[in-house]
Amino acid sequence: MNSKKPSALVVFSGGQDSTTCLYWARERFERVVALSFTYGQKHIDEVRLAEQLAREAGVEWHCIDLPFVGSLSSGCSLTDTSLTIEAEKPADAPPSTFVPGRNMFFLSIAAVFARERGIHDLVTGVGQTDFSGYPDCRDAFIKSLNVTLNLAMDDEFRIHTPLMWLDKAETWALADELGIYPIIRYRTLTCYNGIVGDGCGQCPACQLRRRGLEKYLAAKGMKDAKKQMQS
Ligand code: ZN
Protein backbone atom coordinates (compact mmCIF):
# COMPACT_ATOMS: atom_id res chain seq x y z
CA MET A 1 0.00 0.00 0.00
CA ASN A 2 1.27 3.42 -0.88
CA SER A 3 1.04 5.70 2.12
CA LYS A 4 2.37 8.80 0.41
CA LYS A 5 0.25 11.91 0.43
CA PRO A 6 -0.56 13.51 -2.95
CA SER A 7 1.56 16.64 -3.33
CA ALA A 8 3.75 19.23 -1.67
CA LEU A 9 5.60 22.37 -2.57
CA VAL A 10 9.07 22.98 -1.14
CA VAL A 11 10.47 26.50 -0.84
CA PHE A 12 13.85 25.72 -2.30
CA SER A 13 17.15 27.64 -2.33
CA GLY A 14 19.61 24.82 -2.99
CA GLY A 15 21.13 25.16 0.48
CA GLN A 16 21.70 22.41 3.04
CA ASP A 17 18.37 22.89 4.79
CA SER A 18 16.00 23.21 1.87
CA THR A 19 17.72 20.40 -0.07
CA THR A 20 17.29 18.10 2.94
CA CYS A 21 13.63 19.18 3.02
CA LEU A 22 13.26 18.44 -0.70
CA TYR A 23 14.26 14.81 -0.17
CA TRP A 24 12.25 14.62 3.07
CA ALA A 25 9.21 15.67 1.02
CA ARG A 26 10.00 13.20 -1.75
CA GLU A 27 9.71 10.34 0.76
CA ARG A 28 6.30 11.53 1.89
CA PHE A 29 4.56 12.96 -1.16
CA GLU A 30 3.81 11.54 -4.61
CA ARG A 31 4.45 14.81 -6.34
CA VAL A 32 6.94 17.38 -5.15
CA VAL A 33 7.32 20.83 -6.65
CA ALA A 34 10.33 22.98 -5.80
CA LEU A 35 9.94 26.75 -5.89
CA SER A 36 12.94 29.09 -5.85
CA PHE A 37 13.01 32.86 -5.69
CA THR A 38 15.32 35.54 -6.94
CA TYR A 39 15.19 38.65 -4.75
CA GLY A 40 18.25 40.61 -5.72
CA GLN A 41 20.69 38.29 -3.94
CA LYS A 42 24.36 38.75 -4.85
CA HIS A 43 24.96 35.10 -5.58
CA ILE A 44 22.52 34.59 -8.36
CA ASP A 45 24.29 31.35 -9.34
CA GLU A 46 22.52 29.76 -6.39
CA VAL A 47 19.35 29.73 -8.50
CA ARG A 48 21.02 27.74 -11.29
CA LEU A 49 22.32 25.33 -8.68
CA ALA A 50 18.84 25.02 -7.16
CA GLU A 51 17.43 24.19 -10.59
CA GLN A 52 20.09 21.52 -11.15
CA LEU A 53 19.58 19.93 -7.73
CA ALA A 54 15.81 19.89 -8.17
CA ARG A 55 16.08 18.26 -11.61
CA GLU A 56 18.46 15.63 -10.27
CA ALA A 57 16.01 14.90 -7.46
CA GLY A 58 13.40 14.35 -10.18
CA VAL A 59 11.12 17.11 -9.02
CA GLU A 60 9.43 19.86 -10.94
CA TRP A 61 11.19 23.22 -10.52
CA HIS A 62 9.94 26.77 -10.80
CA CYS A 63 11.46 30.14 -10.09
CA ILE A 64 9.71 33.42 -9.33
CA ASP A 65 11.48 36.75 -9.59
CA LEU A 66 10.82 39.06 -6.64
CA PRO A 67 13.38 41.84 -7.12
CA PHE A 68 11.53 44.17 -4.76
CA VAL A 69 12.18 42.00 -1.69
CA GLY A 70 15.86 42.88 -1.68
CA SER A 71 15.35 46.51 -2.62
CA LEU A 72 12.70 47.40 -0.01
CA SER A 73 15.19 47.53 2.82
CA SER A 74 18.76 48.73 3.05
CA GLY A 75 21.72 47.42 4.96
CA CYS A 76 21.44 43.75 4.03
CA SER A 77 24.78 42.20 3.15
CA LEU A 78 23.18 39.45 1.04
CA THR A 79 21.77 41.95 -1.44
CA ASP A 80 23.94 45.05 -1.08
CA THR A 81 27.22 44.54 -2.93
CA SER A 82 28.89 47.36 -0.98
CA LEU A 83 28.50 45.50 2.32
CA THR A 84 30.51 42.60 3.65
CA ILE A 85 29.22 39.93 5.99
CA GLU A 86 30.33 40.07 9.61
CA ALA A 87 31.73 36.89 11.13
CA GLU A 88 29.72 37.22 14.36
CA LYS A 89 26.12 38.28 14.70
CA PRO A 90 25.54 41.45 16.74
CA ALA A 91 24.07 40.73 20.19
CA ASP A 92 21.22 43.24 20.06
CA ALA A 93 20.06 43.18 16.42
CA PRO A 94 19.42 40.73 13.61
CA PRO A 95 22.56 39.92 11.59
CA SER A 96 23.39 41.93 8.47
CA THR A 97 22.26 38.96 6.36
CA PHE A 98 18.66 39.38 7.54
CA VAL A 99 16.32 40.27 4.65
CA PRO A 100 13.24 41.77 6.34
CA GLY A 101 10.04 40.04 5.30
CA ARG A 102 11.77 37.44 3.12
CA ASN A 103 10.15 34.32 4.51
CA MET A 104 6.79 36.04 4.81
CA PHE A 105 6.87 37.04 1.14
CA PHE A 106 8.26 33.67 0.00
CA LEU A 107 5.75 31.54 1.90
CA SER A 108 2.78 33.76 1.04
CA ILE A 109 3.60 33.67 -2.66
CA ALA A 110 4.39 29.96 -2.44
CA ALA A 111 0.92 29.36 -0.97
CA VAL A 112 -0.85 31.15 -3.82
CA PHE A 113 1.36 29.38 -6.38
CA ALA A 114 0.68 25.99 -4.74
CA ARG A 115 -3.07 26.60 -4.45
CA GLU A 116 -3.25 27.21 -8.22
CA ARG A 117 -1.85 23.71 -8.65
CA GLY A 118 -4.11 22.06 -6.09
CA ILE A 119 -1.29 21.78 -3.54
CA HIS A 120 -1.89 22.62 0.12
CA ASP A 121 1.17 21.16 1.78
CA LEU A 122 4.07 23.61 1.94
CA VAL A 123 7.53 22.67 3.18
CA THR A 124 10.17 25.08 4.41
CA GLY A 125 13.62 24.45 5.88
CA VAL A 126 13.46 27.11 8.58
CA GLY A 127 14.42 26.19 12.13
CA GLN A 128 14.84 27.90 15.44
CA THR A 129 17.18 25.53 17.26
CA ASP A 130 20.40 27.12 16.02
CA PHE A 131 18.60 30.45 16.21
CA SER A 132 20.41 32.63 13.73
CA GLY A 133 18.71 35.85 14.72
CA TYR A 134 16.08 35.68 11.97
CA PRO A 135 12.67 36.27 13.54
CA ASP A 136 10.90 34.74 10.54
CA CYS A 137 12.54 31.35 11.12
CA ARG A 138 10.74 30.85 14.42
CA ASP A 139 7.92 28.42 15.02
CA ALA A 140 5.54 31.12 16.32
CA PHE A 141 5.87 33.05 13.06
CA ILE A 142 5.27 29.97 10.89
CA LYS A 143 2.19 28.94 12.89
CA SER A 144 0.86 32.47 12.76
CA LEU A 145 1.42 32.73 9.00
CA ASN A 146 -0.28 29.36 8.48
CA VAL A 147 -3.41 30.72 10.19
CA THR A 148 -3.18 33.95 8.19
CA LEU A 149 -2.86 32.11 4.85
CA ASN A 150 -5.89 29.95 5.68
CA LEU A 151 -7.93 33.04 6.54
CA ALA A 152 -6.63 34.99 3.54
CA MET A 153 -7.70 32.35 1.03
CA ASP A 154 -10.38 30.55 3.05
CA ASP A 155 -8.39 27.39 2.59
CA GLU A 156 -6.48 24.75 4.52
CA PHE A 157 -2.75 24.97 4.08
CA ARG A 158 -0.31 22.93 6.11
CA ILE A 159 3.16 24.40 6.51
CA HIS A 160 5.67 21.63 7.31
CA THR A 161 8.94 22.53 9.04
CA PRO A 162 10.86 19.24 9.37
CA LEU A 163 13.97 21.03 10.66
CA MET A 164 12.30 23.37 13.16
CA TRP A 165 13.59 21.56 16.27
CA LEU A 166 16.74 19.97 14.82
CA ASP A 167 20.18 21.44 15.35
CA LYS A 168 22.66 21.39 12.47
CA ALA A 169 24.19 18.07 13.61
CA GLU A 170 20.72 16.50 13.57
CA THR A 171 20.06 17.99 10.14
CA TRP A 172 23.22 16.22 8.90
CA ALA A 173 21.96 13.01 10.52
CA LEU A 174 18.65 13.38 8.70
CA ALA A 175 20.46 13.84 5.38
CA ASP A 176 22.41 10.65 6.03
CA GLU A 177 19.22 8.76 6.90
CA LEU A 178 17.67 9.99 3.65
CA GLY A 179 20.73 8.67 1.78
CA ILE A 180 21.78 12.09 0.50
CA TYR A 181 24.83 12.89 2.63
CA PRO A 182 27.16 13.33 -0.40
CA ILE A 183 24.66 15.58 -2.18
CA ILE A 184 24.27 17.79 0.87
CA ARG A 185 27.97 17.82 1.69
CA TYR A 186 29.41 18.53 -1.74
CA ARG A 187 26.65 19.98 -3.91
CA THR A 188 24.57 22.38 -1.81
CA LEU A 189 25.27 26.05 -1.28
CA THR A 190 24.94 27.47 2.22
CA CYS A 191 27.91 29.85 2.19
CA TYR A 192 27.11 33.58 2.18
CA ASN A 193 30.14 34.07 -0.06
CA GLY A 194 28.67 31.81 -2.73
CA ILE A 195 31.08 28.85 -2.48
CA VAL A 196 29.48 25.43 -2.99
CA GLY A 197 30.04 22.50 -0.60
CA ASP A 198 32.19 23.22 2.43
CA GLY A 199 32.15 26.91 1.45
CA CYS A 200 34.48 29.73 2.49
CA GLY A 201 34.71 28.42 6.05
CA GLN A 202 34.59 31.96 7.47
CA CYS A 203 31.06 33.33 7.16
CA PRO A 204 28.44 32.62 9.88
CA ALA A 205 26.59 30.13 7.64
CA CYS A 206 29.78 28.15 6.97
CA GLN A 207 30.72 28.16 10.64
CA LEU A 208 27.31 26.90 11.73
CA ARG A 209 27.30 24.25 9.01
CA ARG A 210 30.82 23.05 9.87
CA ARG A 211 30.22 22.91 13.63
CA GLY A 212 27.13 20.78 13.01
CA LEU A 213 29.02 18.54 10.61
CA GLU A 214 31.89 18.00 13.05
CA LYS A 215 29.47 17.19 15.87
CA TYR A 216 27.55 14.78 13.64
CA LEU A 217 30.67 13.01 12.32
CA ALA A 218 32.08 12.66 15.86
CA ALA A 219 28.82 11.11 17.11
CA LYS A 220 28.66 8.82 14.08
CA GLY A 221 32.31 7.77 14.58
CA MET A 222 31.55 6.81 18.19
CA LYS A 223 28.49 4.82 17.10
CA ASP A 224 30.42 2.98 14.38
CA ALA A 225 33.28 2.22 16.78
CA LYS A 226 30.80 0.79 19.33
CA LYS A 227 29.19 -1.36 16.63
CA GLN A 228 32.61 -2.71 15.62
CA MET A 229 33.43 -3.56 19.21
CA GLN A 230 30.17 -5.43 19.61
CA SER A 231 30.61 -7.50 16.44
ZN1 ZN B 1 31.01 30.87 3.78
Side-chain angles (χ1 to χ4, degrees), residues 206-220:
C206 278
Q207 291 181 31
L208 186 64
R209 177 176 160 134
R210 193 188 56 226
R211 276 199 299 271
L213 179 61
E214 283 167 359
K215 187 173 157 196
Y216 170 62
L217 290 177
K220 186 178 154 76

Side-chain angles (χ1 to χ4, degrees), residues 191-193 200-201 203 206:
C191 174
Y192 290 147
N193 290 311
C200 75
C203 73
C206 278

Side-chain angles (χ1 to χ4, degrees), residues 220-231:
K220 186 178 154 76
M222 297 246 289
K223 243 205 298 203
D224 291 349
K226 254 190 212 157
K227 249 193 231 155
Q228 270 180 359
M229 279 179 27
Q230 282 162 357
S231 62

